[in-house]
Amino acid sequence: MIDLYTWGTPNGRKISVMLEETGLKYQAFPINISKDEQFAPDFLKINPNNKIPAIVDHEPPAAYGTEPVSVFESGAILIYLAEKSGKFLPTDAKARMQALQWLMWQMGGFGPMLGQLHHFSRFAKEKVPYAIDRFATETARLYKVLDGHLAKNEYLAGKELSIADFATLPWAARWEWHGIDWATNPNAKRWYDALMARSGVQRGFEVP
């Protein structure tokens, strides 16, 4: 059994989608970040960075020993779950690297930049035009990078669905917050619709 500590954010949904798609047994524990529950001492023992998501695997692979294993950072969790389940991380070396580089692209750009746009355009008490314009421009650019890649590939790792797709999708699911016109990003829209139609993805989006 895997304990998932999460909340209804893009980063949290990455992991619930992955768990639903792999079929690994898990139970979800909501961490209400609007109430600062991520700073509770018990959660600090699981994630020293005080952020969701995090997992505790009570039945880790043999290579990890017999004690429960805690993993934090959504990208690391996705890799861990892919290796544990044998799913959604290609075994072919080139395809595997393709999946990992697009996972890093999401972790380093299509996530942090979109998150900054969310903050300055929706949640900041003071609206700073420079900040909004800066992150809106970068967000639009990143969508174009995504669309251009998907013009030549079915999924981010090529022909095979992978953890890179599950990492990127929950951020793209807030496309309306980003002011994105799908008509100018048709390849990303095709990819988005295909993934959102999956029953595992839909179940994952309902957690917590």
Side-chain angles (χ1 to χ4, degrees):
M1 179 66 72
I2 294 171
D3 295 339
L4 167 63
Y5 298 86
T6 190
W7 194 242
T9 68
N11 285 335
R13 285 174 173 161
K14 294 177 188 179
I15 311 308
S16 53
V17 165
M18 180 66 173
L19 286 165
E20 289 290 342
E21 287 280 348
T22 58
L24 292 169
K25 293 182 179 180
Y26 76 100
Q27 53 186 347
F29 295 93
I31 302 295
N32 190 335
I33 60 176
S34 67
K35 297 181 179 179
D36 290 338
E37 290 179 359
Q38 72 273 28
F39 296 106
D42 286 346
F43 185 64
L44 178 64
K45 297 175 183 177
I46 298 167
N47 184 354
N49 197 34
N50 293 108
K51 291 183 179 293
I52 61 94
I55 65 168
V56 177
D57 187 358
H58 295 278
E59 297 179 351
Y64 289 84
T66 58
E67 295 297 319
V69 172
S70 299
V71 187
F72 68 95
E73 286 297 324
S74 60
I77 297 171
L78 287 171
I79 294 170
Y80 177 87
L81 295 175
E83 293 178 343
K84 177 182 174 73
S85 66
K87 298 179 180 179
F88 303 116
L89 186 57
T91 56
D92 174 79
K94 289 184 178 180
R96 178 184 175 88
M97 184 50 60
Q98 184 90 322
L100 290 175
Q101 71 179 359
W102 282 97
L103 173 63
M104 296 305 117
W105 173 83
Q106 187 282 310
M107 295 290 294
F110 200 87
M113 296 300 102
L114 277 57
Q116 291 296 324
L117 177 60
H118 294 175
H119 174 77
F120 285 106
S121 66
R122 299 180 65 88
F123 303 118
K125 294 181 179 180
E126 178 185 356
K127 295 297 183 286
V128 182
Y130 171 78
I132 294 171
D133 290 346
R134 174 182 172 82
F135 291 113
T137 298
E138 179 62 5
T139 292
R141 186 192 72 81
L142 289 166
Y143 269 93
K144 282 301 181 184
V145 172
L146 178 67
D147 189 73
H149 180 65
L150 292 170
K152 303 175 183 178
N153 298 275
E154 184 176 3
Y155 300 110
L156 289 177
K159 297 180 180 179
E160 190 173 340
L161 183 64
S162 75
I163 55 176
D165 299 290
F166 295 152
T168 306
L169 179 67
W171 285 98
R174 292 187 172 176
W175 59 273
E176 291 178 300
W177 291 20
H178 310 145
I180 295 301
D181 181 2
W182 282 131
T184 62
N185 295 276
N187 305 296
K189 181 63 161 61
R190 181 267 308 161
W191 165 87
Y192 175 81
D193 287 343
L195 266 65
M196 291 298 287
R198 296 176 64 91
S199 58
V201 169
Q202 293 170 7
R203 292 192 303 271
F205 267 67
E206 294 174 356
V207 178

